[in-house]
Amino acid sequence: MGKVKGKPGPLARRPDNSSFKQQRLPAWSPMLTANTVLPFFYFMALICLLLGVWLLLTVQNTQEMKLDYTEAETCNECFEMRKNVSNANKPCNCTVNFRIDKPFKGDVFFYYGLRNFHQNLRRYMDSRDDGQTVGRKKNLKDPSSYCEPFLKDPSGRPIAPCGAVANSIFNDSFTLLYHHPNGRGEVPLMREGLTWYTDKYIKFRNPKTDNLTLAEVFEGTAPPPYWQKPVYKLDPSNPMNNGFINDDFIVWMREAAFPNFKKLYGILFRNNNNPFTKGLLAGNYSINISYNFPVQYFRGRKEVVLTTVTWFGGQNHFLPIAYLVTSSLILLTAVVLTVVWWKFGKDGKNMKE
């Protein structure tokens, strides 16, 4: 039998007489008065102030030294040489001296930095083949068209790794020297373990060798035009750090969000067999630089950064200052509201109509 329809009329579409449909459910509606709002404002201002001061003191415990070597000392000759594209493959070495007045205690991180280099351009960021760098043999010999114009060399060989990001890799190298009373000694830097775990073991992998050498696997491919050596020879001292899993290559391939950035180059190696067990000593230092990366074409600058870190990270004042500014604004708002409330009264009886 069919369902009996309700009676027609003005009450036919009336909702059921339930608490939910008749909107009779219990609810809590806060009463915003001066006695509740003003203490909350003062409390939030105090919390932000304490956080800002705490983070500021934490950041100030880090030590950092920046050294712009673009045209410093003997690097000026290399800077002038790199202006001519025909000198791109000619080696040029320079030395920059500096002094550390206070010792850097704990782990010390060595960064290289670039200014005015826009890694965040969409076309630049798209110019890569993640299928190739993850180790797919199909993409090794047939890269994605996104890599254009760094897809194939003039003879038609596929470029590995292809794309503008890989082609523009930062290729300056550094040797940090400490000047002790008996001469100069090299400061040991760890050149591995610089990448994220997911980058090293998931996003970047070499093609399967199948009992072949890495050079044989990459046979038939060409290095990027601006590279001085193929990808399977990036680290002659460590065969396990070549190909797409090279630490320097992986660090560069993670694009920076801003035009001024720094990327990790090495970490101070501390053990009982060298004088740097507790960190970098105070004194005179120098850096021998293999000057390869040109910056004239984009009006950039190059620098090295030595820094320590805390649980909060490196030396970055943005968050502490943001908390202190927020605290000041909240406190100012609270004071204005307090004056208004004190002048006109909480019931508004003294307000003029």
Side-chain angles (χ1 to χ4, degrees):
M1 296 178 62
K3 184 178 179 180
V4 179
K5 296 182 179 181
K7 295 181 180 180
L11 301 179
R13 300 177 60 85
R14 179 179 180 179
D16 295 337
N17 188 21
S18 63
S19 299
F20 178 75
K21 292 189 175 182
Q22 295 297 331
Q23 301 183 11
R24 293 196 299 264
L25 292 174
W28 176 73
S29 180
M31 299 297 293
L32 300 179
T33 64
N35 293 330
T36 58
V37 172
L38 292 179
F40 176 77
F41 269 70
Y42 284 112
F43 176 74
M44 291 304 300
L46 178 62
I47 292 297
C48 290
L49 177 63
L50 294 177
L51 284 174
V53 172
W54 179 41
L55 292 178
L56 186 62
L57 293 176
T58 302
V59 168
Q60 289 179 342
N61 287 332
T62 63
Q63 295 171 273
E64 183 178 272
M65 189 218 68
K66 293 184 178 181
L67 181 64
D68 188 323
Y69 69 92
T70 311
E71 302 173 79
E73 301 184 30
T74 58
C75 290
N76 185 52
E77 300 176 5
C78 297
F79 178 80
E80 296 297 328
M81 177 188 289
R82 295 299 176 222
K83 286 183 178 180
N84 192 341
V85 180
S86 62
N87 296 327
N89 292 325
K90 294 181 180 180
C92 187
N93 300 308
C94 60
T95 302
V96 177
N97 300 288
F98 64 95
R99 177 175 178 80
I100 294 179
D101 296 322
K102 295 182 180 180
F104 282 44
K105 297 180 180 180
D107 291 329
V108 180
F109 295 81
F110 188 110
Y111 293 87
Y112 64 85
L114 284 176
R115 293 187 171 274
N116 203 35
F117 190 94
H118 294 262
Q119 270 198 315
N120 58 352
L121 292 177
R122 184 187 64 81
R123 184 65 186 91
Y124 177 88
M125 296 179 67
D126 288 343
S127 184
R128 58 189 293 168
D129 187 350
D130 291 329
Q132 187 185 61
T133 54
V134 84
R136 296 175 187 167
K137 287 189 175 181
K138 179 177 180 262
N139 296 73
L140 182 65
K141 299 299 178 65
D142 185 20
S144 168
S145 59
Y146 280 100
C147 290
E148 289 284 4
F150 305 102
L151 182 66
K152 295 183 179 181
D153 70 349
S155 62
R157 293 181 302 169
I159 294 176
C162 70
V165 183
N167 183 62
S168 61
I169 188 173
F170 185 85
N171 56 352
D172 284 7
S173 58
F174 310 92
T175 302
L176 182 60
L177 301 174
Y178 172 62
H179 299 192
H180 50 75
N182 299 325
R184 298 190 304 176
E186 182 176 348
V187 178
L189 295 176
M190 292 190 297
R191 299 282 288 114
E192 298 179 31
L194 312 178
T195 64
W196 294 13
Y197 177 88
T198 52
D199 287 350
K200 182 75 172 182
Y201 298 102
I202 298 177
K203 293 182 63 178
F204 292 85
R205 288 178 290 176
N206 284 327
K208 294 182 179 179
T209 56
D210 296 329
N211 297 325
L212 299 175
T213 64
L214 200 58
E216 292 173 334
V217 172
F218 282 93
E219 186 177 356
T221 64
Y226 294 165
W227 283 30
Q228 298 176 347
K229 49 186 159 182
V231 67
Y232 53 85
K233 291 184 178 179
L234 291 178
D235 190 355
S237 63
N238 183 6
M240 302 303 295
N241 192 34
N242 281 313
F244 297 144
I245 60 173
N246 177 266
D247 279 39
D248 290 332
F249 172 70
I250 295 175
V251 168
W252 177 260
M253 292 296 286
R254 179 169 284 278
E255 298 98 338
F258 301 102
N260 301 332
F261 60 86
K262 62 183 180 183
K263 291 179 182 284
L264 187 60
Y265 181 81
I267 305 172
L268 178 66
F269 181 63
R270 300 191 295 156
N271 61 16
N272 296 326
N273 297 325
N274 62 51
F276 306 102
T277 304
K278 297 182 179 180
L280 277 182
L281 304 174
N284 296 318
Y285 290 83
S286 61
I287 304 178
N288 291 341
I289 304 170
S290 177
Y291 200 107
N292 300 307
F293 193 84
V295 295
Q296 298 89 337
Y297 310 111
F298 57 90
R299 298 180 182 178
R301 307 291 296 180
K302 297 190 290 187
E303 63 184 7
V304 293
V305 181
L306 292 171
T307 181
T308 60
V309 297
T310 62
W311 64 267
F312 183 64
Q315 195 174 78
N316 190 337
H317 292 84
F318 173 78
L319 195 58
I321 293 176
Y323 271 113
L324 293 176
V325 171
T326 303
S327 173
S328 302
L329 294 176
I330 294 175
L331 181 62
L332 178 62
T333 303
V335 171
V336 171
L337 292 177
T338 302
V339 171
V340 172
W341 174 73
W342 184 266
K343 181 177 181 180
F344 297 107
K346 66 177 182 178
D347 296 327
K349 294 181 179 179
N350 296 331
M351 296 181 65
K352 297 180 180 180
E353 297 182 358

